[in-house]
């Protein structure tokens, strides 16, 4: 059963509400089931951060249900260039987000259910949560063969991954979140989660590819709405709380003071790309010059999302060494992103406004560099 999380509902579900600006903090009577009315990945991730940072979860577990419009979410310690096809994402308008938990990269859309289980650190138990999801699925369709794995994934029919797990454990609170593939766009999922970039060397956490399948492909009655209600029912029974899914607006500052600042931070370049662990790219390509192919070598070291080392090696008769050095030094300190490289290319053009041949070579090099971003 869905009920809007209005101020009236707040008084019913929260006790001793003396200051509206204090929102949920320390006022939940018992467990609570929340569902976001937003499909914005940054707003929903901000809810996770807010609950983790502000709520007293002692004896008050929280289940948060949320779905996002098409987006890619990487783990806290991952490298987006290594994990996904950034160029395709830009073309398709797919958002990229970095969450605060570990784990691997996932594709989200409205056919993918996200479940976040909040508890105290002492009561944190991922396997218990996954077994709860399995019970809910079997309550709806007893014939479903869904099993947990040692890696805390859920497998359908022993081979198809339908859920992956990640978590964040704080000083006193913790959360475990997982996905549940219901009717996601598997074509987008597979193409977006395939990095085309070559020559990347990184110590970032790498995702483990899996064969996936939608629950709706197994049984057309297993819609997102049916599954969310089933999980909420099972969660309520297990924790002996009200069987209500309370709709929340992640931008409501009266319930979540300061939450919009959290959402804004999650959208910044510094968080999404700047938090990428140090990595390097070592690649090469050929250019046609006087009916022969010349090899151009490129080595780029990136730290904090910015170019720390740039070494472009080109044959001296194609691009003089002093010009190549100028190009290398120009990139140092810049963001490793296409817009920044385009801006630098335009600046370089203005230093030699009449040299069309040099402009052409700079353009070739810059386009190749942008191609690996």
């Amino acid at each position: 059963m869905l009920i809007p999380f209005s101020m009236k509902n707040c008084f019913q579900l929260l006790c001793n509400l003396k200051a509206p600006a204090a929102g949920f903090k320390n006022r939940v009577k018992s467990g609570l089931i929340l569902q976001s009315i937003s499909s914005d990945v940054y707003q929903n991730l901000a809810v996770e951060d807010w609950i983790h940072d502000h709520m007293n979860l002692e004896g008050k577990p929280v289940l948060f249900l949320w779905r996002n419009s098409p987006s890619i979410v990487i783990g806290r310690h991952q490298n987006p260039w290594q994990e996904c096809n950034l160029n395709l994402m830009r073309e398709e308008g797919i958002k990229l987000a970095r969450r605060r938990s570990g784990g691997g990269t996932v594709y989200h859309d409205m056919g993918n259910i996200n479940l976040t289980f909040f508890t105290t650190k002492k009561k944190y138990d991922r396997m218990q949560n996954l077994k709860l999801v399995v019970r809910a699925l079997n309550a709806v369709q007893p014939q479903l063969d869904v099993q947990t794995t040692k890696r805390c994934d859920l497998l359908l029919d022993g081979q198809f991954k339908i859920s992956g797990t990640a978590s964040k454990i704080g000083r006193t609170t913790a959360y475990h979140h997982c996905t549940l593939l219901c009717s996601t766009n598997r074509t987008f999922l597979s193409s977006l989660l395939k990095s085309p970039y070559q020559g990347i060397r990184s110590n970032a956490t790498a995702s483990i590819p899996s064969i996936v399948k939608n629950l709706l492909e197994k049984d057309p009655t297993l819609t997102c709405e049916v599954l969310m209600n089933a999980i909420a029912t099972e969660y309520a029974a297990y924790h002996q709380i009200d069987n209500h899914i309370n709709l929340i607006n992640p931008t409501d500052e009266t319930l979540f003071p300061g939450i919009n600042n959290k959402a804004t931070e999650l959208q910044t370049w510094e968080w999404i790309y700047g938090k990428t662990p140090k990595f390097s790219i070592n690649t090469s390509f050929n250019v046609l010059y006087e009916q022969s192919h010349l090899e151009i070598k490129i080595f780029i070291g990136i730290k904090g999302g910015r170019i720390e080392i740039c070494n472009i090696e080109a044959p001296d008769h194609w691009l003089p060494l002093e010009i190549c050095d100028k190009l290398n030094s120009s990139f140092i300190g810049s963001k490793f992103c296409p817009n920044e490289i385009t801006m630098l290319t335009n600046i370089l053009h203005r230093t030699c406004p009449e040299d069309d041949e040099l402009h052409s070579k700079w353009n070739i090099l810059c386009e190749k560099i942008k191609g690996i971003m």
Side-chain angles (χ1 to χ4, degrees):
M1 176 183 177
L2 292 174
I3 59 174
F5 210 92
S6 64
M7 288 308 295
K8 178 180 179 181
N9 300 133
C10 288
F11 279 101
Q12 293 173 343
L13 292 167
L14 310 179
C15 61
N16 300 324
L17 187 56
K18 297 179 181 177
F24 282 137
K25 188 177 181 181
N26 301 327
R27 289 179 172 82
V28 177
K29 288 181 180 180
S30 58
L32 200 57
I33 303 172
L34 307 176
Q35 181 179 329
S36 174
I37 64 170
S38 172
S39 60
D40 183 277
V41 62
Y42 307 114
Q43 292 174 3
N44 289 326
L45 287 172
V47 172
E48 287 192 321
D49 292 345
W50 196 97
I51 293 175
H52 177 270
D53 294 345
H54 295 294
M55 282 190 68
N56 174 12
L57 298 169
E58 190 64 48
K60 307 164 187 176
V62 174
L63 170 63
F64 177 42
L65 305 166
W66 46 294
R67 291 187 291 164
N68 296 319
S69 57
S71 50
I72 296 289
V73 184
I74 60 175
R76 183 183 182 105
H77 307 294
Q78 290 199 292
N79 181 331
W81 290 274
Q82 196 173 18
E83 295 295 330
C84 48
N85 189 329
L86 294 174
N87 284 329
L88 181 59
M89 290 173 64
R90 294 185 191 105
E91 291 172 8
E92 298 292 341
I94 307 296
K95 294 178 180 178
L96 176 65
R98 182 187 296 275
R99 61 179 184 268
R100 298 193 187 276
S101 63
T105 301
V106 288
Y107 169 72
H108 288 189
D109 62 17
M110 295 301 287
N112 174 65
I113 302 169
N114 295 281
L115 309 166
T116 311
F117 299 87
F118 294 91
T119 62
T120 59
K121 182 178 179 180
K122 292 179 181 179
K123 294 187 177 180
Y124 167 79
D125 190 334
R126 292 189 297 181
M127 194 56 69
Q128 172 185 285
N129 299 331
L130 293 175
K131 288 178 179 178
L132 185 152
V133 174
V134 172
R135 291 197 303 272
L137 293 175
N138 287 146
V140 177
Q141 176 48 273
Q143 302 304 314
L144 278 180
D145 177 13
V146 179
Q147 303 292 331
T148 60
T149 71
K150 291 181 180 179
R151 295 186 63 250
C152 291
D153 296 331
L154 292 181
L155 292 186
L156 177 66
D157 296 332
Q159 58 178 322
F160 301 108
K161 184 175 177 179
I162 60 170
S163 178
T165 279
S167 59
K168 178 177 175 61
I169 303 175
R171 186 174 59 84
T172 59
T173 63
Y175 64 76
H176 158 225
H177 49 192
C178 60
T179 54
L180 191 60
L181 294 179
C182 175
S183 56
T184 200
N185 186 327
R186 289 206 288 127
T187 301
F188 254 26
L189 183 152
S190 60
S191 59
L192 292 171
L193 295 184
K194 190 178 296 180
S195 172
Y197 312 117
Q198 303 295 318
I200 294 179
R201 303 189 72 174
S202 172
N203 291 324
T205 302
S207 297
I208 301 174
S210 303
I211 303 172
V212 300
K213 191 171 186 176
N214 283 310
L215 286 163
L216 202 67
E217 296 174 59
K218 184 72 173 179
D219 184 337
T221 68
L222 299 178
T223 64
C224 288
E225 290 72 20
V226 166
L227 295 177
M228 287 190 291
N229 283 327
I231 293 167
T233 298
E234 185 64 35
Y235 186 87
Y238 183 81
H239 291 283
Q240 298 182 325
I241 62 175
D242 291 337
N243 183 18
H244 292 303
I245 298 177
N246 306 287
L247 300 182
I248 60 166
N249 180 352
T251 65
D252 188 347
E253 291 273 345
T254 63
L255 290 178
F256 308 105
I259 195 167
N260 290 308
N261 287 336
K262 290 182 177 292
T264 298
E265 181 186 353
L266 291 170
Q267 298 177 58
T268 62
W269 186 93
E270 287 73 19
W271 171 254
I272 297 173
Y273 296 100
K275 290 298 181 180
T276 302
K278 186 176 180 178
F279 70 105
S280 65
I281 294 179
N282 195 351
T283 187
S284 65
F285 64 94
N286 293 324
V287 295
L288 184 63
Y289 180 68
E290 295 182 350
Q291 298 183 334
S292 64
H293 286 90
L294 303 178
E295 184 182 32
I296 312 295
K297 297 180 180 179
I298 299 176
F299 176 85
I300 301 177
I302 300 99
K303 182 179 181 181
R306 292 181 178 271
I307 297 175
E308 184 181 44
I309 301 170
C310 184
N311 187 17
I312 300 171
E313 294 182 10
D316 192 57
H317 61 281
W318 185 77
L319 190 68
L321 181 60
E322 62 271 16
I323 299 297
C324 207
D325 288 343
K326 182 176 183 179
L327 194 61
N328 286 329
S329 61
S330 297
F331 289 140
I332 302 298
S334 66
K335 292 178 181 177
F336 190 61
C337 71
N339 291 341
E340 194 97 345
I341 299 304
T342 298
M343 181 183 71
L344 288 170
T345 306
N346 293 334
I347 292 173
L348 288 169
H349 284 180
R350 290 197 291 271
T351 65
C352 301
E354 306 300 327
D355 197 330
D356 292 338
E357 183 180 358
L358 182 58
H359 288 183
S360 176
K361 293 174 181 179
W362 275 342
N363 286 337
I364 290 172
L365 290 172
C366 291
E367 287 302 313
K368 289 295 182 180
I369 293 173
K370 286 197 291 185
I372 60 176
M373 292 181 174

